[in-house]
Amino acid sequence: MGIINFLVYLAIMMAIYGILSLSLNLQYGFTGLANFGQVGFFCLGAYTSTTIVLVFKLPFILGLLGGMLASTLFGYIIAIPTADLKEDYWAIVTLAAAEIIRIFFLNESWVVGGGPYVGGAFGVGGIPQPLRSLFSAYTYPFFYLGIALLCLLVAYLVINSVTRSPFGRVIKSIREGDNLAQAMGKDIRKFRIKVMALGGAFGGLAGCLWAHYHGFISPEQFLPLETFLVWAMVIVGGKGNNKGAILGAVIIMAFYNSTRFLKDYIPIEEVTLASLRMVVIGVLIVAAMLFMKEGLIKEKKTIY
């Protein structure tokens, strides 16, 4: 029973981070935008959905849509002043923007439903799970897995459709350099803003699913480390390939969650083991960039 519960949990995490990986792949893999603040969308989606459902007592679906809308607006806003910046400056700005979001929720607090003090560094607990009363403690994870997989499928279909459309051909040309897109008369600034907004929407969706599954969120759960993990997924799986982004999420999540059991077999402290896990993931990224520059699944080049 224990192993089944773990496998269901792992599958849910793979689906959620698969959505997050797809959103970064759209921004970086297809458009070349070095977004080092992906966790900001993740955090904003989680907190927005939690506020809508927990504070305003609205349905889960409205919380989901609200989280996506807030993350879309965040992506749109931060892209406006950065759309003309070069790749390295873009990375710095997005990293700072994500930290601003996290620090805001770290220092902000509110009273939920007349209950005790929550929010801020204490986090927010008691986040409702959709249709929880209709299922037992054993069957509910399977139901939530279905929700997560459905959202992953929708994200894949939407992003895959976008990247194969004329819009997708333009953002791929922007990835190769501004001159090519400008020579075709395209406004690269507008395309970058749209990509950041769309990628932000799906990053927010992943955050909503994460919050309602765990039932608790805290600013300490949205550190830049999360962005590092998502980058590892895109690089190892294969940038510019949506299937590769999902495969990368499966591999990194499987490794990241399964290695915690090594403490039962290797005499090592949990803190040291956690640090070593990140070292190994870093080595995987370096190895992928050295020996598999296009990742496990290469981008399919379209010939016109």
Side-chain angles (χ1 to χ4, degrees):
M1 192 69 70
I3 188 64
I4 294 178
N5 292 336
F6 171 73
L7 290 176
V8 173
Y9 165 80
L10 183 59
I12 293 173
M13 290 299 101
M14 288 175 177
I16 292 174
Y17 277 86
I19 297 172
L20 204 56
S21 180
L22 283 171
S23 67
L24 179 62
N25 191 43
L26 172 66
Q27 296 166 342
Y28 171 68
F30 287 101
T31 318
L33 303 179
N35 179 12
F36 280 14
Q38 189 68 7
V39 70
F41 302 118
F42 196 49
C43 177
L44 188 58
Y47 269 94
T48 302
S49 181
T50 296
T51 303
I52 291 174
V53 176
L54 193 59
V55 178
F56 297 103
K57 310 297 182 183
L58 294 176
F60 167 74
I61 185 63
L62 293 181
L64 209 66
L65 295 175
M68 293 180 68
L69 178 60
S71 298
T72 300
L73 292 175
F74 177 61
Y76 182 85
I77 291 171
I78 64 173
I80 291 175
T82 59
D84 296 324
L85 297 179
K86 298 299 181 182
E87 185 172 335
D88 47 354
Y89 293 104
W90 186 287
I92 295 172
V93 171
T94 52
L95 176 62
E99 276 297 279
I100 290 172
I101 292 293
R102 189 184 70 84
I103 292 173
F104 170 79
F105 287 114
L106 179 64
N107 292 278
E108 183 64 26
S109 60
W110 56 84
V111 176
V112 178
Y117 174 87
V118 293
F122 294 94
V124 181
I127 302 172
Q129 296 179 315
L131 303 179
R132 180 65 182 83
S133 60
L134 302 179
F135 298 88
S136 67
Y138 174 72
T139 58
Y140 186 76
F142 292 92
F143 170 71
Y144 204 91
L145 174 60
I147 294 177
L149 290 175
L150 178 61
C151 291
L152 175 62
L153 177 62
V154 171
Y156 174 81
L157 292 176
V158 171
I159 293 178
N160 209 45
S161 176
V162 167
T163 53
R164 291 186 176 185
S165 68
F167 181 90
R169 292 197 289 270
V170 174
I171 62 175
K172 289 176 186 176
S173 68
I174 293 175
R175 178 185 60 187
E176 306 303 326
D178 295 353
N179 294 336
L180 178 59
Q182 289 174 339
M184 296 188 295
K186 303 299 181 182
D187 188 339
I188 58 174
R189 177 184 176 85
K190 289 184 178 180
F191 278 90
R192 284 173 173 166
I193 292 175
K194 290 178 181 178
V195 167
M196 281 297 290
L198 181 59
F202 288 106
L205 172 62
C208 298
L209 293 172
W210 198 92
H212 287 279
Y213 176 68
H214 288 89
F216 175 82
I217 53 174
S218 167
E220 297 305 313
Q221 297 169 336
F222 303 101
L223 296 170
L225 170 65
E226 297 298 321
T227 298
F228 173 73
L229 286 175
V230 182
W231 271 85
M233 296 169 188
V234 173
I235 292 174
V236 172
K239 64 179 183 178
N241 190 306
N242 293 317
K243 293 179 181 177
I246 296 176
L247 176 62
V250 170
I251 293 173
I252 297 299
M253 278 292 102
F255 175 83
Y256 186 72
N257 286 280
S258 60
T259 49
R260 68 180 62 179
F261 297 109
L262 291 177
K263 63 181 176 60
D264 298 329
Y265 306 97
I266 301 176
I268 188 172
E269 295 182 358
E270 293 185 15
V271 176
T272 304
L273 178 61
S275 300
L276 289 176
R277 281 192 297 171
M278 299 314 302
V279 170
V280 174
I281 291 177
V283 171
L284 283 176
I285 295 177
V286 174
M289 297 182 70
L290 289 176
F291 304 107
M292 297 182 298
K293 294 183 179 181
E294 296 185 71
L296 293 173
I297 303 180
K298 297 181 180 180
E299 178 184 0
K300 293 183 178 180
K301 303 292 184 180
T302 305
I303 300 176
Y304 301 99

